[in-house]
Amino acid sequence: MIEIRHLRTLTAVAESGKLSTAATRLHITQSAVSHQLRDLERHYGVTLFDRSARPLRLSAAGQRLLELAQETLALVHAAERDLLKMSDIGGGALRIAIECHTCFDWLMPVMDAFRTRWPDVELDLISGFHSDTLALLDHDQADIVVVSDRRARRGIAWRPLFRFEVLALMAPGHPLARKRWLTPRDFGGETLITYPVPDARIDVISRFLEPAGIKVKRRTAELTVAVLQLVASRRGLAALPSWGVKNYIDFDYVAARPIGRRGLWSGLYAAATDEIAERAYVQDFLQIARDTCFATLPGIVPLR
């Protein structure tokens, strides 16, 4: 009774927490997702999800089936990967661009693991600053772009990587370092040091300061290390991903505080054209990226 499609559906729902999101990811209708889950529940006489919870929460039976799905799908993917390597379509190229182009340390173990599985696929990391990273897909200059701003675009497939907290950074000993978390007003009168991108692409501005009517002076730097040097030199504040600055915080190079009482959270997505996203080695790269990131990056959580 249990089929591969059931395992994929259960995994998608468990990861996304929503039937609609899972349906989009699987390229089927929401009713088809519901139908598959209810077929399993009727057949085995169990409940797989607590449907009153938001996001949906797995029952004990659902958790057991998810364990099966994770084991089985990993074996299926491995077999598919081996078959493709034996065929004439196991090679190719994968050009990757990152919005935060100097925050690429997290990507190195991902690329190492991918090279082991797909030695015939040529990997290339597109270097340099790009004001519109997504445009690289339009001009065939990249195969995958990693960005934090998901924008609806025809012909573009989005894959969630992980969710992370954006932290406010300041020099050690800065008066704001005595606070438990920062308010929008705390940024008033401070210089905000950012990458040279529009306000709309900076979460702390678009989602935290602008709604509160707070305007700040900006100073820009293209390199993450340059941003942190300016912060440490008391030239202003910055707001950067927690996973990208942990070492600097641990060594007291800068101090960090949450932005807002509940923190400011953002997501990281991989985008590719629909055609490229369907390639087996691209799908495998994204799975490796998720698995590796959750094993190595501190403080990240699943992105629904």
Side-chain angles (χ1 to χ4, degrees), residues 154-230:
R154 182 181 295 275
I156 299 295
W158 295 89
R159 298 293 183 267
L161 294 177
F162 53 83
R163 189 169 180 253
F164 61 90
E165 186 174 11
V166 180
L167 294 174
L169 304 175
M170 61 216 67
H174 191 289
L176 291 177
R178 295 195 292 266
K179 302 196 64 173
R180 294 178 60 186
W181 46 272
L182 301 193
T183 67
R185 184 169 302 205
D186 290 327
F187 286 82
E190 298 281 352
T191 297
L192 184 64
I193 304 167
T194 74
Y195 300 119
V197 297
D199 288 1
R201 288 176 55 191
I202 301 175
D203 286 335
V204 69
I205 294 178
S206 63
R207 295 171 47 205
F208 189 69
L209 298 179
E210 283 187 350
I214 301 296
K215 294 185 178 181
V216 294
K217 296 181 294 184
R218 280 183 61 190
R219 179 171 179 174
T220 63
E222 289 193 7
L223 303 178
T224 301
V225 66
V227 172
L228 294 170
Q229 286 173 351
L230 290 170

Side-chain angles (χ1 to χ4, degrees), residues 27-288:
H27 305 292
I28 59 178
T29 65
Q30 184 173 332
S31 62
V33 171
S34 297
H35 186 70
Q36 288 187 31
L37 295 178
R38 294 206 179 277
D39 277 352
L40 288 173
E41 290 176 328
R42 282 194 295 266
H43 184 80
Y44 292 103
V46 296
T47 299
L48 298 177
F49 288 92
D50 177 0
R51 289 174 171 78
S52 65
R54 292 294 180 272
L56 296 177
R57 186 167 58 244
L58 284 167
S59 66
Q63 185 61 46
R64 179 62 187 91
L65 198 54
L66 180 62
E67 292 171 2
L68 171 66
Q70 292 169 336
E71 295 174 2
T72 303
L73 293 179
L75 292 173
V76 171
H77 292 156
E80 290 177 336
R81 185 167 58 244
D82 291 341
L83 290 172
L84 286 170
K85 289 177 183 177
M86 297 174 190
S87 72
D88 59 356
I89 56 175
L94 189 55
R95 300 163 297 169
I96 306 163
I98 309 176
E99 182 178 56
C100 178
H101 71 288
T102 58
C103 298
F104 60 80
D105 289 353
W106 65 273
L107 190 58
M108 307 318 290
V110 176
M111 296 177 73
D112 289 341
F114 180 82
R115 288 190 186 96
T116 300
R117 294 191 188 183
W118 296 90
D120 295 329
V121 176
E122 182 180 351
L123 272 178
D124 188 14
L125 187 60
I126 307 300
S127 61
F129 175 77
H130 307 283
S131 59
D132 185 1
T133 312
L134 205 58
L136 296 175
L137 299 178
D138 298 329
H139 301 296
D140 193 28
Q141 295 175 327
D143 300 303
I144 294 177
V145 297
V146 179
V147 297
S148 58
D149 180 20
R150 178 175 177 171
R151 289 169 273 167
R153 286 274 302 274
R154 182 181 295 275
I156 299 295
W158 295 89
R159 298 293 183 267
L161 294 177
F162 53 83
R163 189 169 180 253
F164 61 90
E165 186 174 11
V166 180
L167 294 174
L169 304 175
M170 61 216 67
H174 191 289
L176 291 177
R178 295 195 292 266
K179 302 196 64 173
R180 294 178 60 186
W181 46 272
L182 301 193
T183 67
R185 184 169 302 205
D186 290 327
F187 286 82
E190 298 281 352
T191 297
L192 184 64
I193 304 167
T194 74
Y195 300 119
V197 297
D199 288 1
R201 288 176 55 191
I202 301 175
D203 286 335
V204 69
I205 294 178
S206 63
R207 295 171 47 205
F208 189 69
L209 298 179
E210 283 187 350
I214 301 296
K215 294 185 178 181
V216 294
K217 296 181 294 184
R218 280 183 61 190
R219 179 171 179 174
T220 63
E222 289 193 7
L223 303 178
T224 301
V225 66
V227 172
L228 294 170
Q229 286 173 351
L230 290 170
V231 170
S233 301
R234 294 181 176 271
R235 297 297 191 271
L237 307 180
L240 293 174
S242 58
W243 51 266
V245 295
K246 183 178 185 301
N247 289 339
Y248 297 93
I249 297 169
D250 289 345
F251 287 100
D252 294 323
Y253 189 69
V254 295
R257 293 294 179 270
I259 299 173
R261 185 186 297 272
R262 298 182 179 179
L264 179 64
W265 290 78
S266 186
L268 209 60
Y269 301 86
T273 63
D274 287 337
E275 177 185 357
I276 289 176
E278 291 301 317
R279 295 178 183 175
Y281 62 82
V282 172
Q283 295 180 26
D284 201 34
F285 176 85
L286 297 176
Q287 186 61 54
I288 292 171

